[in-house]
Amino acid sequence: MPVAPPAFPFLSDHALRPAAELADAREGGGPIRVQPRYGAPCWLVTRYEDARFVMSSPAFGRNWERAGIDTEDVARVTPVEVTNDTFSAQDPPDHTRLRRFIFRTFTPNRVEALRPGTQEIVDRLIDEMIEKGPPLDLYTRFGLNLSVEVICNLLGVPSSDKERFTIWAEAVLLSATSPEHAAASVEQMKAYLAGLAVLRRQEPTDDLIGALVRARVEGDQLSDDEITNLLRILLGAGHETTASQTVNFTYLLLTGDGYRRLVEEPELVPTAVDELLRFTPLISQGSLARFVLTDVEVGGTLLRAGDQVLIELAAANRDAAAFKDPDTLDLARKSNPHIAFGHGLHRCVGASLARMELQVALAALTRRLPGLRLVRPPDQVDWLIERFVRRPKELEVTW
């Protein structure tokens, strides 16, 4: 009698430590079969080499309809219904076309131009923290405010509307919200962003929305719906995720000697950020499925067309075949080809923005608050673990 695949996701003994079953699967070699909370059984990839292959091979797609899979069978760890109308769910040639527009407008120079403004935001937030005095929650007082202000400045969202995005993003990202409420929030966000796109056509601006509205690639131009969906992806990726990693990184640094080391060696901040990205799980296990378009072998296992694959990035980033002493947080790690932002066609378009924000945040915190420490013992911190959110519910700090 066939053995039923294990339930997925696996449980970990700590929110920022990958589950032991993931290491077992990785060391066993090749993909394993699992049963996610929702949808059909699927393959789970945990090895670094296999993860990179699945994310870059044309044998895999992100559009389930193209793969002949029913919507209700899509493997996922959340009850929220999946949708094909987003940038992340497109395959070439549609995805290639949209990504060309992103690279044309969301350039490294545009991101780097945000660094001085990001530094001003960070310094102002730290000034406010010092004025209020400890103890305080680093997430609400620093991480969340920083990410909201930076992404809204990038998009050109009026400061009076910034609070709306926090409400919408939480409704979409947190499972405590009903699917109906999440869907309604998505529609409200889309309508708001579509309205901004219309305004930019009437009154051009230099922000990202204005750039996307004006952009032309080989005579082609984005529709308002395409602009709205691209902005929605950027907003989600650049809001809660960066806020969460800011406090996650600080927690990890404060529970060891990492924070003190960055105080003493500030030149390590850039490499420290990449090492923390490698080391720290963010997206809940295997959140975004890939779909097998043609029979293909992965790690010695034959996957058939119509199969589904979940990729566990946190496990792949702890693979000893790719990283020396992978379970050690080495802030000075020199070779660090991590895939925290994904790989291939669907690598996170906001990677450079997130990296810049995290560098500025950690550099300023360690410079201006060298005595920062946790109010509670590390094992008394309560955690919030959702599909795209993994962070302390509160991270009370003092200095």
Side-chain angles (χ1 to χ4, degrees):
M1 185 175 182
V3 177
F8 186 81
F10 304 133
L11 297 178
S12 173
D13 59 355
H14 190 281
L16 296 185
R17 187 160 43 237
E21 290 92 337
L22 293 173
D24 293 340
R26 185 182 59 229
E27 300 310 314
I32 64 169
R33 293 290 284 177
V34 295
Q35 173 59 66
R37 285 180 185 152
Y38 305 93
C42 65
W43 295 100
L44 178 70
V45 166
T46 54
R47 298 197 311 176
Y48 179 84
E49 181 181 355
D50 295 345
R52 283 174 57 95
F53 175 72
V54 171
M55 289 188 286
S56 59
S57 170
F60 301 87
R62 285 282 297 118
N63 188 300
W64 55 91
E65 292 177 343
R66 180 182 173 214
I69 296 171
D70 293 334
T71 303
E72 60 269 21
D73 289 333
V74 173
R76 59 198 189 279
V77 296
T78 171
V80 177
E81 289 189 5
V82 290
T83 176
N84 262 334
D85 68 351
T86 64
F87 173 57
S88 60
Q90 298 297 315
D91 290 329
D94 294 333
H95 181 274
T96 306
R97 171 179 171 271
L98 294 174
R99 200 169 183 91
R100 283 205 309 256
F101 279 96
I102 283 289
F103 284 141
R104 177 68 63 87
T105 54
F106 191 36
T107 62
N109 286 341
R110 182 179 290 274
V111 171
E112 197 57 32
L114 291 171
R115 188 179 289 267
T118 302
Q119 185 68 62
E120 291 178 6
I121 294 169
V122 166
D123 285 335
R124 172 170 49 79
L125 292 175
I126 294 177
D127 286 343
E128 293 172 358
M129 289 169 56
I130 293 172
E131 182 178 354
K132 184 179 185 301
L136 51 77
D137 174 22
L138 193 69
Y139 174 75
T140 56
R141 300 290 301 190
F142 184 74
L144 181 60
N145 288 335
L146 170 61
S147 63
V148 170
E149 290 202 38
V150 171
I151 195 65
C152 287
N153 286 348
L154 171 68
L155 300 182
V157 172
S159 58
S160 58
D161 291 339
K162 290 177 180 178
E163 190 173 340
R164 293 191 192 187
F165 286 96
T166 301
I167 296 172
W168 286 332
E170 288 182 352
V172 173
L173 296 172
L174 304 184
S175 62
T177 304
S178 69
E180 294 77 16
H181 186 197
S185 296
V186 167
E187 291 306 312
Q188 291 169 12
M189 188 188 306
K190 288 171 64 175
Y192 176 85
L193 292 170
L196 287 181
V198 170
L199 288 175
R200 297 302 190 270
R201 292 195 191 281
Q202 298 169 348
E203 300 178 11
T205 58
D206 291 330
D207 52 52
L208 184 60
I209 298 178
L212 286 172
V213 165
R214 295 192 308 275
R216 287 185 178 273
V217 178
E218 298 176 359
D220 189 16
Q221 194 168 17
L222 293 173
S223 70
D224 284 350
D225 282 345
E226 289 171 332
I227 291 172
T228 299
N229 283 321
L230 285 173
L231 294 174
R232 186 157 60 90
I233 293 295
L234 282 172
L235 182 65
H239 171 209
E240 181 66 48
T241 52
T242 306
S244 295
Q245 288 296 59
T246 300
V247 292
N248 288 340
F249 288 5
T250 306
Y251 170 89
L252 284 171
L253 292 170
L254 291 175
T255 54
D257 64 355
Y259 196 88
R260 177 192 55 77
R261 187 175 183 188
L262 292 185
V263 169
E264 297 173 353
E265 301 178 71
E267 68 277 6
L268 286 181
V269 166
T271 56
V273 165
D274 270 294
E275 174 67 346
L276 286 159
L277 285 165
R278 179 194 73 84
F279 194 81
T280 313
L282 175 60
I283 295 177
S284 295
Q285 299 174 28
S287 290
L288 301 174
R290 261 74 174 180
F291 310 102
V292 184
L293 302 177
T294 183
D295 292 359
V296 62
E297 187 174 295
V298 178
T301 299
L302 180 63
L303 277 56
R304 299 288 188 181
D307 284 353
Q308 301 184 64
V309 180
L310 294 177
I311 302 170
E312 181 42 66
L313 296 177
N317 277 330
R318 299 282 188 103
D319 191 341
F323 304 96
K324 182 181 178 182
D325 299 325
D327 293 319
T328 298
L329 180 65
D330 179 3
L331 301 184
R333 187 180 295 273
K334 290 183 172 58
S335 177
N336 196 351
H338 67 78
I339 51 175
F341 293 117
H343 177 68
L345 286 176
H346 289 281
R347 185 177 185 273
C348 176
V349 295
S352 58
L353 178 65
R355 185 179 277 111
M356 182 274 290
E357 281 186 65
L358 292 165
Q359 289 174 356
V360 173
L362 287 187
L365 284 172
T366 50
R367 182 181 71 253
R368 299 194 56 193
L369 298 174
L372 194 73
R373 59 189 184 276
L374 299 179
V375 170
R376 299 179 183 179
D379 60 358
Q380 292 183 21
V381 173
D382 293 327
W383 292 85
L384 178 68
I385 302 177
E386 298 285 353
R387 184 188 181 200
F388 288 111
V389 180
R390 182 187 295 263
R391 60 166 173 81
K393 293 180 179 178
E394 290 184 337
L395 191 67
E396 285 192 297
V397 294
T398 187
W399 55 86

